[in-house]
Amino acid sequence: MKLNTIRDYDFNGKRVVIRVDFNVPVKNGVVTDDTRIKAALPTINYLLEHGASLVVMSHFGRPKGKSADLSMAPIAKKFEEDLGKKVQLASDVIGPEVEKEVKALKKGDILLLENVRFYPQEEANDPEFAKTLASYGDVYVNDAFGTAHRAHASTEGVAHYLPAFAGFLIEKEVKFMAPLLENPAHPFVVIIGGSKVSSKISVLESMLKTCDTIIIGGGMAFTFQAVLGHKVGKSLVEPDFYQTAKDFLAKAKEKGVKVILPVDNECGDSFDENTPKTYIDGVEIPDDKMGMDIGPKTVALIKAALKNAKSVVWNGPMGVFEFASFAYGTQEVAKALAACKGTTVVGGGDSVAAINKFNLADKITHVSTGGGASLEFLEGKSLPGIAALEKK
């Protein structure tokens, strides 16, 4: 996959329309986590250093029309603070007043538009709306990987009307994710967790094409255990996916891909933070218990698989890590990943949250900024926001 990147263009004196992902948590009018804002700064600084003025676009939350609660105002304030440079918040997204504000921009100026999702035309990828956004600049840059799987006006539509380039963040995501689908270094180990087979089966099937070992944890593991004839107690299972799980295991065997499932479990009586914890040294779970986390023997198997891995991708926790009693498996996998000498990629909201919770992000080769986008990328789907940036 070859992208047109911002290194391929002379931005001096140009007005750039740039899509970023500033959909950040805000509480009482204050940004509580500015990770996504900071992730866009290398691209923004590069454009400013190369003589551009910027019209910055992002969504925030899921507004139903215009809403003061979902204004970009607190985000503009944090963006200005992180950038260390004046950021003007536009009066709206479209309209004569915004056009005036755009036209008044000089080299080095930054105008942050209001929440693009204030207008339903954004998510509808309305051509006229996209054309209006495109009219604000000479060139378009997309650095919002988190929304690259959406064909919206600001993520895909604008690219039809302006020269379009990938920012550093999208370039980095593609640099680390694409080889996992195309030509990974071996041994390649895939760790997939989370609660449901239904939400991860496409990733599992896609990864079968290039990986050597697949480790399955989290609630989804019990559907696989059930089809192998094991007792799973009150654990989460998806009977509608029994045949899918059976077919997947058959495909893995046929391709020579090793599948590791939990061999011991930490269980509870109910899905509750304060449920008493019971260790089951084996696969069979009693009828009155439910699996909540992997046990130490499974952790040891995972560590052994990661020891000499050259490529690893992790998507989805090993257990209910948000409950302190059942965070062990996910934390140990995160630590093993951090110690791995190969290229390590973590994608998906919960896995990223776990890496951050255990303060290990700086020991991972690449932590993806896009939950749904990284999942769809690993499924081998074409992401509209990225397809629009590919070299023709």
Side-chain angles (χ1 to χ4, degrees):
M1 185 182 286
K2 296 250 187 288
L3 299 180
N4 292 305
T5 79
I6 55 177
R7 292 185 188 85
D8 302 328
Y9 192 82
D10 178 7
F11 291 96
N12 193 31
K14 303 292 185 189
R15 201 159 59 218
V16 179
V17 179
I18 175 170
R19 179 53 154 102
V20 294
D21 182 6
F22 285 178
N23 185 29
V24 296
V26 173
K27 193 172 181 183
N28 302 323
V30 176
V31 173
T32 55
D33 181 352
D34 62 349
T35 305
R36 286 179 171 175
I37 296 174
K38 285 182 169 167
L41 295 185
T43 294
I44 285 165
N45 281 320
Y46 178 92
L47 296 171
L48 294 172
E49 283 159 14
H50 285 77
S53 57
L54 306 182
V55 177
V56 183
M57 307 182 289
S58 179
H59 74 284
F60 171 42
R62 297 177 181 274
K64 301 277 183 275
K66 291 183 185 180
S67 154
D69 290 346
L70 291 173
S71 165
M72 298 296 290
I75 295 165
K77 192 177 172 192
K78 190 65 183 165
F79 177 28
E80 182 173 280
E81 192 183 299
D82 287 351
L83 186 62
K85 191 170 171 31
K86 172 97 178 92
V87 171
Q88 181 191 345
L89 178 64
S91 50
D92 204 331
V93 180
I94 55 174
E97 193 55 39
V98 180
E99 285 169 26
K100 255 191 250 171
E101 290 163 348
V102 168
K103 279 186 184 141
L105 290 176
K106 296 183 180 65
K107 193 185 275 198
D109 287 351
I110 304 153
L111 179 71
L112 175 65
L113 296 184
E114 253 304 354
N115 191 339
V116 285
R117 286 194 187 166
F118 278 173
Y119 289 83
Q121 298 97 308
E122 158 67 1
E123 291 180 86
N125 200 2
D126 178 79
E128 288 308 310
F129 187 70
K131 216 178 271 186
T132 301
L133 296 176
S135 74
Y136 297 157
D138 308 298
V139 58
Y140 171 65
V141 171
N142 191 350
D143 212 27
F145 182 75
T147 57
H149 57 316
R150 308 282 186 221
H152 292 170
S154 68
T155 62
E156 195 269 349
V158 176
H160 293 284
Y161 306 106
L162 290 173
F165 299 89
F168 293 136
L169 189 59
I170 280 189
E171 185 185 22
K172 187 182 176 200
E173 294 277 3
V174 170
K175 176 187 167 187
F176 286 108
M177 301 272 246
L180 301 176
L181 298 172
E182 295 160 8
N183 187 27
H186 293 275
F188 175 24
V189 179
V190 173
I191 308 168
I192 301 289
S195 56
K196 294 182 174 179
V197 176
S198 51
S199 62
K200 297 290 174 79
I201 191 64
S202 297
V203 175
L204 286 168
E205 289 177 344
S206 174
M207 294 287 97
L208 266 186
K209 295 170 195 159
T210 52
C211 80
D212 304 291
T213 301
I214 290 183
I215 296 158
I216 300 173
M220 63 187 291
F222 301 112
T223 295
F224 288 93
Q225 300 287 32
V227 302
L228 290 170
H230 298 301
K231 287 170 64 180
V232 295
K234 297 190 289 183
S235 307
L236 176 69
V237 288
E238 291 178 281
D240 291 353
F241 281 81
Y242 281 174
Q243 191 57 51
T244 305
K246 203 178 279 186
D247 291 346
F248 171 79
L249 292 171
K251 271 185 224 162
K253 192 174 180 184
E254 188 188 307
K255 287 181 175 290
V257 174
K258 184 180 181 182
V259 176
I260 296 174
L261 286 159
V263 295
D264 59 346
N265 296 276
E266 297 285 3
C267 297
D269 298 337
S270 61
F271 191 83
D272 183 89
E273 191 162 7
N274 301 311
T275 188
K277 187 161 76 164
T278 307
Y279 173 63
I280 305 294
D281 185 4
V283 179
E284 312 299 328
I285 295 176
D287 293 343
D288 62 342
K289 304 288 179 198
M290 61 168 60
M292 302 279 276
D293 193 13
I294 57 175
K297 289 185 177 176
T298 308
V299 167
L301 280 179
I302 295 171
K303 285 182 175 175
L306 293 179
K307 197 176 177 193
N308 298 310
K310 292 282 198 312
S311 306
V312 186
V313 64
W314 178 28
N315 185 294
M318 296 293 100
V320 192
F321 80 101
E322 57 272 34
F323 295 171
S325 304
F326 301 103
Y328 164 80
T330 301
Q331 183 169 11
E332 287 301 306
V333 168
K335 279 156 64 175
L337 211 64
C340 178
K341 302 265 192 297
T343 298
T344 52
V345 176
V346 177
D350 286 338
S351 318
V352 173
I355 286 290
N356 289 332
K357 180 179 178 178
F358 306 129
N359 297 313
L360 295 167
D362 60 339
K363 304 225 167 33
I364 305 297
T365 312
H366 179 60
V367 179
S368 178
T369 54
S374 65
L375 199 62
E376 290 196 19
F377 198 105
L378 293 173
E379 284 172 16
K381 291 181 179 175
S382 173
L383 307 191
I386 288 175
L389 309 171
E390 285 189 59
K391 284 187 193 279
K392 301 292 186 277

